[in-house]
Amino acid sequence: MDVFEFYSFFLFGVFAAYLALFFMAVKYSDRTFASVFSLICLASAVYVLGAALQFNSKSVEEILFFQKLKYFGAALVPGLWIVFAYRVHSGKKMSLAMLLCVFSIPALVLFLVSTNEYHGLFYSGLKVFQNGEYLFSRRATGPLYVLNVAYAYFSLFYCLYFFSLVWIKSRFRLNSPYFLLLAGQLLSAALFGLYLAGMTPLWVDMLPVGYLVRAVFCAVAIFKYDVLEIKEIYNKEIFSEIKEGLMLVSCDGLLIDYNRSARTVFEWLNEKNRGAPIHSLDSRFNVSTGAKNFDIGVGRGDEERIYEFRLTELKEGRKTAAFLYIFLDVTDKQRLIEKLRYMADHDSLTGLFNRGRILVEANRLLSARKLEGRIFSICMIDADHFKNLNDSCGHIAGNRMLCELAAVFRRIAGERGIIGRYGGEEFLVLLPDAGAKEAAETAEKLRAGIEAATVDFDGKTLQVTISIGVTSAGLHPFEEETIHSLVSRADRALYRAKNSGRNRVCVFGEDDL
């Protein structure tokens, strides 16, 4: 087999490869770019078939006929690549006006080639020579032939530019589909340049090889990487108008798309960052190791908004095609929940824990005592003669005094103790990791602080004193302690303090049994 026969078989092999790629694209036509890619493969197949038949022509008439057939594919390929590159970069389909503009020159080239024998504007002459059993031809270019070459170069550089942009956005990742698209264009450009520069044997047309290289790289990018398969599904008006924020991310973490609601929340959601790793844009997002459900705060202080996120897998059969972040502004709901929780746990007047919550905290300390042997103490506090204050000055004055008591308790014991309003003018102060002696010292500070405190009300200076009963967990190691028994002990110590003249601290002891 000589080189000419080998080249003939090679051209038919390239034609078969293009047909295989075409049928594969038709089979997977539901994928975003498969329809455009199938047209590229079909047009390239027509071009290569024409080149193969022209190479095997036995007469001038056959050469001219297959020359025209070849251009019915070759003229359309550059325009189809422009359409493909536009969709990859923008994620949108071209409008009808844009398509008419893109294919105006291919249409003109087809017309010029089909009617060339009448005007000679595309080819001005044809020279035929024989080499063995093969008939070769050289064509002298006409004045309008430059349109075809210029358009082919424009298409090539257009694709190189936009594929470079999307590859740069992916942070120059070599395992990116955009790198494959760019590499295919560069290799095809190199072969195209060698052919136009006359650096290949006259009989070797490198365009079919360049077209095949470009198509193979493109096929791998489309059918291997999910990022090109699903994008179009979300480039619909309904995606953009959904009130929930939506961010579409590929399996390898590249930002594919987002809707208007998402763009108003995150400034980095813009055209510049499409195709970039989302983790590099915001470290809180990671499809491989991140949480599936989480909250994110955006803004500071009173301007902070809270968003509830859910990460959902998008399946294509059994395969994960991409990930979708769905999020809602839950700021008002969160604040309402926090407010309800606060109201459920806190006294509305003083802001201290209420009876239910302070007993929950006491149970927690008691559990730690049983499991870890940690000690704690309880101070039960009662305001002396508080009923007299209410009767003489009114309940508003009494409420003011209760708030002052709470403020003094926080100032003295707030950093270490847990404080709650037990009921009326009674309070509980829990002191974790404090024994009876240390608790008594803290209780004395509380008593002295209240004795020195005053409240100005309606031209009067109001004062109260407090009595405090103190007990500690673990005083009776052989007795089963409960919160009820501990509070009862503190209450008995408080009763003794009141019976001893009030305004004093008493620690639970044998006299209280």
Side-chain angles (χ1 to χ4, degrees):
M1 179 184 295
D2 59 22
V3 291
F4 297 121
E5 188 176 357
F6 172 79
Y7 185 65
S8 176
F9 280 109
F10 172 76
L11 288 177
F12 283 111
V14 173
F15 168 70
Y18 270 125
L19 280 184
L21 289 174
F22 168 73
F23 287 118
M24 182 178 67
V26 171
K27 179 180 178 181
Y28 297 101
S29 59
D30 58 324
R31 301 191 178 186
T32 302
F33 296 91
S35 57
V36 180
F37 181 66
S38 66
L39 292 177
I40 291 174
C41 292
L42 182 60
S44 299
V46 171
Y47 163 69
V48 176
L49 177 62
L53 294 175
Q54 181 183 347
F55 186 77
N56 288 276
S57 296
K58 303 302 182 182
S59 66
V60 174
E61 290 75 13
E62 288 183 0
I63 289 176
L64 293 175
F65 176 78
F66 292 126
Q67 172 80 23
K68 294 178 182 180
L69 174 64
K70 186 170 69 173
Y71 269 94
F72 272 92
L76 297 176
V77 170
L80 290 170
W81 274 110
I82 290 174
V83 173
F84 184 87
Y86 177 84
R87 294 188 66 182
V88 169
H89 177 257
S90 68
K92 302 175 183 178
K93 293 182 178 180
M94 280 189 171
S95 64
L96 178 60
M98 294 176 68
L99 288 172
L100 291 175
C101 180
V102 167
F103 288 102
S104 59
I105 291 181
L108 178 59
V109 169
L110 281 175
F111 173 78
L112 291 173
V113 171
S114 301
T115 60
N116 189 73
E117 60 266 29
Y118 302 108
H119 49 69
L121 294 176
F122 197 77
Y123 288 123
S124 60
L126 176 67
K127 181 179 180 181
V128 179
F129 58 95
Q130 189 84 25
N131 190 322
E133 62 180 84
Y134 290 94
L135 190 64
F136 292 94
S137 63
R138 285 183 181 176
R139 287 159 295 278
T141 58
L144 296 184
Y145 181 80
V146 68
L147 284 176
N148 184 52
V149 176
Y151 189 70
Y153 270 115
F154 172 77
S155 171
L156 186 62
F157 287 113
Y158 182 92
C159 293
L160 284 173
Y161 175 72
F162 284 111
F163 290 159
S164 298
L165 287 183
V166 292
W167 185 51
I168 291 170
K169 289 179 184 178
S170 71
R171 301 295 191 268
F172 302 100
R173 294 170 62 251
L174 296 182
N175 62 340
S176 164
Y178 306 121
F179 174 73
L180 288 174
L181 294 174
L182 179 61
Q185 292 294 320
L186 288 172
L187 289 174
S188 178
L191 294 173
F192 187 51
L194 289 174
Y195 173 70
L196 291 180
M199 298 177 67
T200 61
L202 292 177
W203 52 270
V204 177
D205 185 353
M206 298 302 294
L207 288 182
V209 182
Y211 280 9
L212 181 63
V213 168
R214 187 158 49 170
V216 169
F217 275 73
C218 180
V220 174
I222 292 176
F223 299 106
K224 179 180 178 181
Y225 289 93
D226 295 330
V227 66
L228 297 180
E229 297 176 10
I230 57 177
K231 186 172 182 179
E232 187 184 57
I233 299 173
Y234 297 95
N235 284 325
K236 298 178 180 178
E237 194 65 25
I238 188 172
F239 178 77
S240 181
E241 296 299 330
I242 290 177
K243 67 176 181 179
E244 290 86 355
L246 301 174
M247 296 189 298
L248 185 65
V249 181
S250 69
C251 291
D252 50 356
L254 302 181
L255 176 64
I256 299 175
D257 210 348
Y258 50 85
N259 68 349
R260 294 177 185 174
S261 298
R263 189 172 64 240
T264 61
V265 176
F266 298 105
E267 294 181 355
W268 44 265
L269 288 176
N270 51 54
E271 290 296 324
K272 178 183 177 182
N273 289 325
R274 284 184 190 269
I278 193 169
H279 183 70
S280 69
L281 302 174
D282 192 321
S283 60
R284 295 173 293 185
F285 297 97
N286 193 317
V287 296
S288 58
T289 62
K292 303 299 182 185
N293 297 280
F294 55 95
D295 292 344
I296 282 182
V298 178
R300 296 181 179 179
D302 294 338
E303 299 298 322
E304 183 184 29
R305 307 297 298 180
I306 301 170
Y307 297 91
E308 183 180 76
F309 277 79
R310 177 163 53 90
L311 180 61
T312 301
E313 292 184 47
L314 300 180
K315 294 286 189 179
E316 186 177 30
R318 296 182 178 180
K319 181 182 177 183
T320 299
F323 292 92
L324 185 66
Y325 283 104
I326 306 172
F327 63 94
L328 277 173
D329 187 340
V330 294
T331 307
D332 295 336
K333 184 180 80 171
Q334 289 286 83
R335 288 175 180 171
L336 177 60
I337 291 173
E338 291 172 3
K339 184 177 181 180
L340 292 174
R341 285 175 179 168
Y342 183 88
M343 292 172 63
D345 289 339
H346 291 76
D347 174 56
S348 59
L349 176 64
T350 63
L352 300 175
F353 283 151
N354 58 23
R355 181 188 182 99
R357 178 59 185 272
I358 197 65
L359 291 178
V360 168
E361 294 295 323
N363 268 303
R364 181 177 60 81
L365 294 176
L366 184 60
S367 296
R369 162 72 186 163
K370 294 177 180 179
L371 293 174
E372 305 170 19
R374 298 175 62 180
I375 61 173
F376 72 98
S377 296
I378 297 178
C379 299
M380 177 166 275
I381 305 170
D382 185 71
D384 299 328
H385 302 297
F386 195 77
K387 184 176 183 302
N388 293 339
L389 175 65
N390 272 335
D391 291 343
S392 60
C393 298
H395 288 285
I396 295 178
N399 289 344
R400 287 278 299 277
M401 182 56 72
L402 289 173
C403 291
E404 179 63 20
L405 293 177
V408 174
F409 295 158
R410 286 196 192 94
R411 186 175 69 248
I412 296 174
E415 290 186 4
R416 181 176 180 184
I418 305 170
I419 310 166
R421 186 180 178 190
Y422 194 63
E425 64 273 13
E426 289 184 320
F427 299 85
L428 281 184
V429 177
L430 309 178
L431 298 171
D433 302 316
K437 181 179 179 181
E438 188 177 353
E441 292 174 353
T442 301
E444 178 57 31
K445 292 178 182 178
L446 293 172
R447 186 207 62 78
I450 295 300
E451 185 178 35
T454 60
V455 171
D456 293 327
F457 179 78
D458 200 19
K460 300 177 183 179
T461 300
L462 307 180
Q463 282 183 289
V464 295
T465 58
I466 57 173
S467 298
I468 305 177
V470 179
T471 190
S472 299
L475 290 178
H476 303 283
F478 300 106
E479 178 184 323
E480 178 67 24
E481 290 181 322
T482 64
I483 291 302
H484 176 75
S485 65
L486 289 173
V487 172
S488 180
R489 288 182 199 169
D491 189 45
R492 276 180 270 175
L494 172 62
Y495 183 77
R496 180 155 57 88
K498 284 187 170 292
N499 286 341
S500 301
R502 292 184 170 84
N503 192 24
R504 66 190 62 224
V505 175
C506 287
V507 179
F508 179 82
E510 294 295 331
D511 295 339
D512 300 301
L513 293 175

